[in-house]
Amino acid sequence: QLLQTFGDVPVITKTLNTDSPELYEPRTPRNQVADRIIQDLDSAAFLMSDLKTDGVSRINKWMALAVQSRVALYEGTWEKYHANDDFKAQESNPEKYLRKAVEAATLVMNSGLFEIYSTGNPEKDYNDLFAQRDYSSNPEVLLWKKFSTALNINNNKNYQLEYPNDKSITKDLADAYLCKDGKPIKVSPLYQGDNTLMDEMQDRDPRFKQTIFTPEAPWMIDETSTTYWKDVYAPSGYVLRKGYDPRMEYHSLNYEETPSVVYRYAEVLLNYAEAKAELGELTQNDIDISVKKLRDRVGMPNLIISEIVSDPEWDFPSLSPVINEIRRERRVELASEGFRWDDIARWAAAEELIVGKRPKGAKANQFTDFYPVDEKGYLDPFKGSLPDGYRFDLKRDYLNPIPESQIVLNPNLKQNPGWQTN
């Protein structure tokens, strides 16, 4: 997280005293920091158990390798896409990290211990994965957190069942979901338009319908198993459902005990596919052992490299079709799991996805709410606060500033690009 937030950070490898000269050394170059993280994870993988364990009481080798695939992919793509800007790494070598990401992911995949959770119900399995009570025997979950309100170990999701949920996804994400024929909405004959949420969900990737609330999704199930429904609204109209458990017996006013998934096998498969694609080595067999497994769960057609349909709305038209589709797959599979900004940052994609833009929502006329509306009739909740869109500075905002107090203590900690003061 320090690497992602600040880039170069000091690496200290021994115990220091209050007057140790190492306290005043400059920041360690980011790829050396990444190397150290990867080395530590290699050691952890070597020393820890190779048993799957229950995923909650003891960590294991496979968790270390899953994290390693994430770290290596992050650094490899950062160095590749920031090669010519102010955030480039010294002595950049993206291929080294991308190959390490493939290696770590392959070890997890070849272990035979993990698979994508599925009961054979494509209309429920994706949503159900995130609302289970216990993941000890779940084949997809590597690490999870267990909570108990009785023991005062609470999951601070703070679900307020009496009020509308304020968590929602954007129109941009909603439009990213393919139709059931595997084609983008701009070219698929199955797309029914977006006049209503039900129209939008018709014949779409089932993950869309299982990520947000729909009229048939229960809002609350009480202790007597009575089910309640509720009209719920949020700034974009697409109310987030993923990770929500409507069973009231597991909720209190401010806390609840739905377990949280920390690492899951789906990310490992996506890391593998993306790293291979970035190396220019992705084959159909690679897709079949990674992306296909995710699509099989929800009954979507496989991604066939030789048959990718051009999408006029691709986020990255200058990149290859397969990289665009791998990134799409990552976005929809990992939606609302905390990956999006990290992905945008490492792809150096703020120019395409952030600058001058603001998040929009669904067609406004299907809701009774108080949010602003744009000239095309879509919810525009940030119309007043972001009239010109996000003012992201491409020469500054990919990294946070080093706190001035730290630079005062150690003048060798040079400031990040764009944050220097006069």
Side-chain angles (χ1 to χ4, degrees):
Q1 289 175 344
L2 286 170
L3 177 70
Q4 291 171 324
T5 303
F6 298 111
D8 302 350
V9 292
V11 171
I12 306 298
T13 59
K14 65 179 182 179
T15 304
L16 302 182
N17 298 316
T18 55
D19 59 350
S20 296
E22 288 86 356
L23 287 169
Y24 303 97
E25 290 183 351
R27 298 156 66 187
T28 305
R30 63 171 298 128
N31 44 11
Q32 293 182 31
V33 179
D35 288 344
R36 187 57 188 248
I37 296 170
I38 289 170
Q39 290 167 13
D40 285 347
L41 290 165
D42 275 333
S43 298
F46 177 76
L47 294 168
M48 288 194 295
S49 170
D50 60 1
L51 298 176
K52 182 179 183 295
T53 69
D54 62 4
V56 68
S57 59
R58 184 176 181 181
I59 57 177
N60 59 44
K61 168 180 182 175
W62 313 110
M63 299 176 195
L65 290 170
V67 177
Q68 190 180 71
S69 74
R70 179 189 296 183
V71 173
L73 178 65
Y74 189 96
E75 185 61 21
T77 48
W78 180 284
E79 293 192 12
K80 179 175 180 177
Y81 290 103
H82 286 282
N84 299 309
D85 64 21
D86 294 336
F87 307 98
K88 61 185 177 184
Q90 298 180 26
E91 300 178 3
S92 177
N93 186 359
E95 181 178 341
K96 177 180 76 172
Y97 297 104
L98 294 171
R99 293 203 179 281
K100 189 63 174 178
V102 171
E103 175 189 314
T106 299
L107 288 170
V108 180
M109 294 162 68
N110 289 346
S111 72
L113 297 173
F114 306 96
E115 59 186 41
I116 295 302
Y117 167 79
S118 175
T119 68
N121 189 337
E123 300 299 326
K124 288 179 81 280
D125 285 341
Y126 180 75
N127 179 265
D128 288 353
L129 171 64
F130 301 98
Q132 296 184 13
R133 306 307 316 161
D134 190 295
Y135 291 98
S136 297
S137 59
N138 189 291
E140 182 171 347
V141 176
L142 282 76
L143 177 66
W144 58 288
K145 291 183 179 180
K146 188 175 184 179
F147 300 92
S148 170
T149 54
L151 297 176
N152 202 33
I153 305 172
N154 301 307
N155 191 347
N156 296 315
K157 289 184 177 179
N158 290 320
Y159 282 125
Q160 299 290 334
L161 272 293
E162 298 300 321
Y163 302 100
N165 194 332
D166 63 354
K167 298 178 177 64
S168 54
I169 71 170
T170 64
K171 173 64 172 171
D172 192 49
L173 172 57
D175 286 349
Y177 291 87
L178 298 170
C179 290
K180 281 194 171 181
D181 57 5
K183 298 178 181 179
I185 61 173
K186 289 294 183 180
V187 298
S188 173
L190 298 180
Y191 183 56
Q192 300 298 309
D194 59 5
N195 284 327
T196 69
L197 292 183
M198 298 312 293
D199 287 343
E200 282 194 79
M201 295 176 195
Q202 185 71 28
D203 292 323
R204 300 287 294 281
D205 182 331
R207 285 174 289 192
F208 182 26
K209 191 174 182 179
Q210 295 176 63
T211 297
I212 66 173
F213 269 95
T214 57
E216 72 273 16
W219 180 246
M220 184 173 71
I221 301 174
D222 68 15
E223 290 80 354
T224 66
S225 297
T226 301
T227 301
Y228 301 85
W229 288 265
K230 183 182 181 75
D231 288 334
V232 291
Y233 304 103
S236 76
Y238 306 103
V239 182
L240 182 66
R241 178 187 175 203
K242 182 177 177 179
Y244 175 76
D245 186 345
R247 292 170 287 187
M248 275 300 295
E249 61 199 281
Y250 304 115
H251 297 256
S252 62
L253 182 61
N254 293 313
Y255 305 105
E256 52 114 20
E257 57 181 19
T258 302
S260 289
V261 175
V262 181
Y263 304 131
R264 63 186 182 103
Y265 187 48
E267 185 204 345
V268 175
L269 298 181
L270 289 164
N271 293 346
Y272 172 85
E274 184 180 344
K276 292 281 280 190
E278 292 291 355
L279 287 165
E281 299 174 356
L282 186 72
T283 67
Q284 188 60 49
N285 181 67
D286 292 327
I287 292 290
D288 294 346
I289 62 175
S290 57
V291 172
K292 183 177 185 297
K293 294 179 180 294
L294 304 178
R295 293 195 174 189
D296 283 348
R297 169 172 33 211
V298 291
M300 283 290 289
N302 191 17
L303 173 62
I304 307 300
I305 296 176
S306 61
E307 300 176 6
I308 293 176
V309 176
S310 180
D311 184 356
E313 297 296 328
W314 268 332
D315 287 330
F316 312 101
S318 64
L319 300 180
S320 69
V322 73
I323 286 182
N324 272 278
E325 290 306 318
I326 291 293
R327 290 184 178 186
R328 184 204 302 271
E329 194 71 25
R330 183 179 182 88
R331 185 180 190 184
V332 301
E333 176 65 32
L334 302 179
S336 192
E337 293 182 49
F339 289 92
R340 187 60 173 167
W341 163 246
D342 291 339
D343 290 344
I344 291 173
R346 64 188 177 86
W347 295 334
E351 184 172 11
E352 293 91 343
L353 303 177
I354 296 179
V355 175
K357 298 184 178 182
R358 60 177 181 262
K360 301 289 186 73
K363 281 287 182 68
N365 59 11
Q366 60 187 307
F367 307 107
T368 303
D369 58 61
F370 307 98
Y371 297 110
V373 179
D374 73 4
E375 65 281 0
K376 295 182 179 180
Y378 293 96
L379 289 170
D380 193 356
F382 296 98
K383 187 175 184 177
S385 56
L386 295 173
D388 300 315
Y390 288 115
R391 298 173 66 182
F392 187 100
D393 187 336
L394 294 168
K395 293 184 176 297
R396 183 192 67 190
D397 294 336
Y398 278 114
L399 293 175
N400 283 12
I402 303 299
E404 186 177 358
S405 60
Q406 296 299 310
I407 295 176
V408 169
L409 289 170
N410 178 8
N412 287 318
L413 296 177
K414 303 303 180 183
Q415 187 54 274
N416 273 327
W419 293 103
Q420 293 84 351
T421 55
N422 295 326

